[in-house]
Each structure stands twice: as structure tokens, then as C-alpha cells.
Amino acid sequence: TQQSTLAGWTAALYALAVLEKFPAEVFRRGWAALGTGEALNFEQLHSISVVLRICEYKMPSVIQCSPALRDRAMQAASTARQGKMTGTHEHTSVLQMLQTMGIRCEAEGGGSEIEADVYLPDHKVAVEVDGEHHFTHLLNPNGRTHARNLILESQGVRVVAIPLFEWQRQSIPDRRRYLASKLAAAGVSVR
């Protein structure tokens, strides 16, 4: 069916972009199959927006999609951002710890152009509080997490990942040292 073909091309282009593989002929055929994107559902359009952002950063020459598909995909990404929940208890605890450390930061949904759990605009650093759904069973970042990091890096933003399983096992005083160590590795000095 047409929908399964579209789903297949969407998944293939997404997987290739996340793996940072850009075979020009495959992308050309994929863009042609997806057409204007009229028949794609919201999730597929959002996935294509991720593909476009990674390709813009890593391999712009493979972007040969129709302007209508690009517009639909970017609209889906914008809609997804607007509807995204802002912050869990853990996000809030990281944000508050950063504030007590004297670091200016913005919570997700705080109006910044940068999509991150917590953004440090003075340092161009995104702090991502990553729960178990961000990892494979081997505790490596999964495809969506890798895609998110690539997109942030394409915007000139360094990513500091705070795995929730590490954050939660720290005592409150140890969390400050843990966070300071993670930030130092990204070039952010803490007082």
C-alpha cells in the first residue's frame, strides 16, 4: 500500500540520517517517493524534519525534497515543540541546582530557539536529563537521542547529558559536584 511505502521511506531516511550515512541515490529516491508529504502522518512528518535538520548539518547536498514537504515537516516540528511537556521533577531539580551554582539557564519551553531540557545561553550548552527511554539496552544513546544531539551540535550547542540513573543515585551534595564535573567537561567553569 501507499502508506506502508511512505512509512518505509520515512524510516529508511531517518535511520540513514541518524547513522550519518548519506547515499545520494537512496535519498533522491526517498524524496521522490515522499513527494509533497501530503499523505504523510504527523509522526512521519516530524521524523522527516529530523532528517532535514541532520542533513542540513552533515550533508546538505542530499536534500532534494520538495519545498512543500520541507514546509510540512517543519510545521510538524514546530507543532511538536509547542505541545511538548516542559519538565519533570528531575528536570526541575537539575535546573534549580544550576541556578544555585550561579549559572543563567532557561527551562525547556522558555522561549529559546534551542530545544533542550535546560539551555545555558551564556555558554551555548544544552543540558539534557535523559531517562531510560534515551538509551539502548547497552546504555548507549538510542537513535532519537543521537539525532537530538546532532541537531543541537548543528546549532553550535554542546550537549551535556545527565543520565537519570546516574543523577538519582547521587546524594544532594554529590549532585552539585557531579553536575560541576559534567559542565567542566563541556568547558563551563562553576563557582
Side-chain angles (χ1 to χ4, degrees), residues 16-42:
L16 288 168
V18 168
L19 292 170
E20 300 180 57
K21 305 291 183 197
F22 305 98
E25 180 60 18
V26 173
F27 272 84
R28 187 193 63 70
R29 290 179 58 210
W31 297 130
L34 296 175
T36 63
E38 270 184 81
L40 297 178
N41 65 36
F42 180 81

Side-chain angles (χ1 to χ4, degrees), residues 44-57:
Q44 291 166 329
L45 286 168
H46 188 261
S47 292
I48 292 299
S49 75
V50 171
V51 171
L52 288 167
R53 289 185 284 173
I54 292 171
C55 289
E56 285 169 353
Y57 176 49

Side-chain angles (χ1 to χ4, degrees), residues 50-123:
V50 171
V51 171
L52 288 167
R53 289 185 284 173
I54 292 171
C55 289
E56 285 169 353
Y57 176 49
K58 293 288 187 173
M59 186 65 69
S61 64
V62 299
I63 301 175
Q64 299 170 7
C65 66
S66 71
L69 175 58
R70 177 186 286 275
D71 291 347
R72 283 187 173 91
M74 292 309 166
Q75 180 59 46
S78 176
T79 300
R81 274 193 302 278
Q82 291 168 3
K84 193 170 184 184
M85 284 182 18
T86 53
T88 63
H89 170 72
E90 287 80 9
H91 292 97
T92 303
S93 70
V94 170
L95 176 72
Q96 290 171 341
M97 182 68 68
L98 288 164
Q99 290 169 335
T100 65
M101 296 165 89
I103 298 172
R104 186 169 75 89
C105 47
E106 300 171 359
E108 184 173 39
S112 173
E113 289 294 312
I114 303 299
E115 269 186 75
D117 292 338
V118 181
Y119 180 58
L120 315 181
D122 298 338
H123 305 282

